[in-house]
Amino acid sequence: MREALKKDAQEGGKAFAAMQLMLLGKIIAATKELPNQYQEIAQQLEEMKAKLTPSLPIFSDNRALIEDKTKDFVGREEVFQKIDNFLNSQPKGYFIIEAEPGIGKSTMMAQFVLQTGCVHHFNVQSGGKNGTPLFLKKICTQLIEKYQLDYKFLPTEATQDSDFLEKLLDEVSRKLGQDKLVIVVDALDEVDLESQKPNTNILYLPPHLPPNVYFVMTQRPLKNKPLPFLVEAPQEVFALQAESEFNKRDIKQSIQQKLAKSQTLQNWIAVGNLRDKEFIDQLAEKSEYNFMYLRYVLPDIETGKYQNLDIKSLPSGLNQYYRQHWQRMGMNADGLPQIKIDTIYVLVKLGEPVSAELIADIVGESKPKVRRILRECEQFLRQEEKDGQICYSVYHASFRDFLLRQETLEEANVSLKDIEDRIINNLRQGL
């Protein structure tokens, strides 16, 4: 017993805490059976239990994402104020933040989750975490645990439509009192609509919401092909523009923060005879006020990739940055490096974390060669360990968009159908 408690203490003491809460629950139940004069004690014990019950932890598969997104967070006060205004002016509803890739939608949602501890789900297409059943499973589980609803497990039908989610939202709403339930859902545009029934709301989001229940969601602009989302609950769409004054301010603040921490950046601008403000203003303009651009270009400057260039020679905008990197890899040179092209596009088309070994099997090359190719574009990839193997996926949707542009496909002479056929053939061989 002592060893078990010692091991539990090393792991955070969760088992011991759960045992304490269970015993407290039994004491409360026993107290409620006593005469009326003891019921005030029972109420106080209930309040004590509520305070001792830990808030729902961030899901392990979201923890790394949230830590990564928020480590250098700056600004965004206006966006959070917009959310607060909606929550305080509407009895319930959907608040949607709409912005182009790279403007920081996921980062804002990660910071909001970090600040509030709210129920949340991040759709990640490149990680294969963008199906409707997964969304329902994670949201329903969080609701049950956070609000101590009387369910030991999810029923089978919980992920088949919106019925069980609506039931839980109704139960939580009745327990809220003056409080609010806020559910964050990031990247609606990355949801796999094939994972749900046709002619239904995206993620089976309910058309009606009970009082004090709110969804805060993000998506990129989709004017030509709007997502299936018809609701009668109040909704507001906030269009976050790259050229807005507060976004420009936040971009400059982000550059200033990085500059203050990096002697290498300070040396680079000194060589270019720039003042700090000149560097900040010119780089912000070069980035087209896009945070993803800064994520790539600032480390490139620090590692010497632009040591012989001045700031005017830096790429203009995220798309030109991707194109320059594409050229440095020799992807549009004569005598195309077919193995590089196949490796990258297999990764894109698989759409989920995949090992170098599987990629090597599909493209018919050695694992060391595939790993070397993956290292060449590692700044655009997310790495995670699955079943003892390092698996790779595309880090950001903007890079996937660049790779799938018709112009890029034509330059690389890529046939997506051929890539898909090779993947299917590999899967068949494995059966």
Side-chain angles (χ1 to χ4, degrees):
M1 180 68 175
R2 183 180 297 173
E3 288 302 314
L5 289 172
K6 183 178 178 182
K7 182 180 178 183
D8 178 57
Q10 292 171 345
E11 295 174 351
K14 291 182 180 178
F16 183 67
M19 184 171 65
Q20 287 181 309
L21 288 171
M22 182 182 69
L23 290 172
L24 185 54
K26 290 183 176 180
I27 294 170
I28 292 169
T31 306
K32 286 182 176 179
E33 294 179 1
L34 295 175
N36 289 340
Q37 61 262 38
Y38 294 99
Q39 294 314 299
E40 185 178 345
I41 297 174
Q43 180 63 34
Q44 291 172 352
L45 290 172
E46 287 274 20
E47 292 172 1
M48 183 188 300
K49 184 184 177 188
K51 290 178 181 178
L52 290 174
T53 301
S55 60
L56 183 73
I58 293 170
F59 271 50
S60 59
D61 59 340
N62 286 336
R63 187 177 299 279
L65 180 150
I66 289 171
E67 289 176 354
D68 175 58
K69 294 286 186 184
T70 59
K71 62 184 176 184
D72 294 313
F73 186 84
V74 297
R76 302 338 225 170
E77 292 89 352
E78 287 84 353
V79 179
F80 294 141
Q81 187 60 55
K82 284 278 187 183
I83 295 172
D84 282 345
N85 290 346
F86 182 80
L87 298 180
N88 293 323
S89 64
Q90 298 293 342
K92 55 192 173 183
Y94 292 94
F95 184 85
I96 303 170
I97 300 168
E98 189 175 87
E100 295 288 350
I103 302 301
K105 300 184 294 296
S106 297
T107 297
M108 284 184 283
M109 292 301 92
Q111 183 69 17
F112 188 82
V113 170
L114 203 61
Q115 290 175 346
T116 65
C118 66
V119 175
H120 59 277
H121 177 68
F122 289 82
N123 291 292
V124 184
Q125 182 178 351
S126 61
K129 300 170 184 175
N130 61 332
T132 298
L134 178 64
F135 161 78
L136 290 170
K137 179 180 179 181
K138 293 179 73 171
I139 295 298
C140 290
T141 299
Q142 290 179 72
L143 290 173
I144 290 168
E145 294 185 5
K146 187 177 181 73
Y147 293 97
Q148 299 180 325
L149 304 180
D150 191 19
Y151 299 91
K152 303 300 181 186
F153 54 86
L154 292 182
T156 307
E157 64 273 14
T159 59
Q160 295 176 0
D161 53 36
S162 66
D163 284 353
F164 188 67
L165 172 61
E166 292 183 44
K167 182 180 180 183
L168 295 185
L169 293 178
D170 207 45
E171 290 185 31
V172 172
S173 175
R174 290 198 297 270
K175 297 181 72 169
L176 287 172
Q178 298 302 310
D179 293 333
K180 302 178 190 297
L181 165 62
V182 179
I183 300 174
V184 159
V185 185
D186 184 49
L188 289 178
D189 52 280
E190 297 194 27
V191 172
D192 177 13
L193 294 175
E194 297 296 319
S195 67
Q196 62 183 67
K197 300 169 188 173
N199 304 316
T200 56
N201 269 353
I202 189 167
L203 298 175
Y204 296 136
L205 291 170
H208 304 274
L209 294 175
N212 293 333
V213 173
Y214 303 85
F215 282 80
V216 176
M217 311 189 293
T218 68
Q219 66 178 42
R220 65 170 68 185
L222 297 164
K223 294 177 182 177
N224 296 329
K225 193 178 179 182
L227 296 170
F229 181 62
L230 296 173
V231 298
E232 295 187 29
Q235 61 175 302
E236 179 180 335
V237 178
F238 171 57
L240 174 54
Q241 304 291 340
E243 294 286 337
S244 66
E245 288 306 313
F246 78 81
N247 189 64
K248 289 181 178 180
R249 179 205 66 207
D250 291 347
I251 281 282
K252 291 178 181 181
Q253 186 180 345
S254 180
I255 299 170
Q256 186 173 27
Q257 180 175 283
K258 295 281 180 63
L259 183 59
K261 294 179 181 178
S262 174
Q263 186 61 50
T264 306
L265 286 177
Q266 293 170 29
N267 294 341
W268 191 82
I269 66 172
V271 169
N273 294 316
L274 288 172
R275 294 187 177 90
D276 287 4
K277 186 177 185 307
E278 291 175 315
F279 171 75
I280 291 168
D281 289 346
Q282 290 183 41
L283 185 61
E285 191 171 336
K286 278 284 184 181
S287 76
E288 297 179 351
Y289 307 103
N290 188 292
F291 283 92
M292 192 55 56
Y293 177 98
L294 299 182
R295 181 186 177 91
Y296 294 138
V297 169
L298 288 172
D300 280 358
I301 294 174
E302 290 183 295
T303 54
K305 290 180 182 175
Y306 295 111
Q307 67 181 67
N308 297 320
L309 298 175
D310 62 20
I311 194 166
K312 294 179 182 177
S313 301
L314 294 178
S316 297
L318 189 57
N319 189 57
Q320 191 178 104
Y321 173 82
Y322 288 144
R323 181 160 295 284
Q324 284 191 7
H325 189 87
W326 197 242
Q327 290 168 350
R328 285 202 300 268
M329 288 179 67
M331 302 303 275
N332 56 354
D334 292 335
L336 291 169
Q338 195 62 45
I339 177 59
K340 287 185 178 182
I341 291 169
D342 290 348
T343 296
I344 292 169
Y345 278 96
V346 163
L347 192 65
V348 170
K349 291 305 293 181
L350 281 170
E352 60 183 38
V354 60
S355 67
E357 182 178 11
L358 179 55
I359 296 174
D361 286 344
I362 294 171
V363 301
E365 274 291 349
S366 66
K367 284 184 286 184
K369 195 165 187 177
V370 167
R371 287 198 183 98
R372 283 197 299 273
I373 294 166
L374 292 172
R375 280 197 294 272
E376 282 190 64
C377 52
E378 64 182 353
Q379 69 196 100
F380 307 121
L381 304 180
R382 180 183 284 111
Q383 297 183 33
E384 59 184 281
E385 188 172 328
K386 291 181 69 176
D387 301 324
Q389 287 186 307
I390 299 298
C391 292
Y392 303 84
S393 59
V394 176
Y395 178 80
H396 196 258
S398 58
F399 185 53
R400 186 177 63 248
D401 290 346
F402 168 77
L403 293 173
L404 294 176
R405 283 186 176 186
Q406 191 62 35
E407 182 183 1
T408 310
L409 292 169
E410 288 175 358
E411 285 183 357
N413 195 26
V414 174
S415 167
L416 293 179
K417 186 177 185 309
D418 178 58
I419 297 291
E420 290 168 0
D421 289 344
R422 294 170 75 173
I423 292 171
I424 292 169
N425 289 337
N426 179 269
L427 293 174
R428 283 175 178 164
Q429 291 171 13
L431 294 176

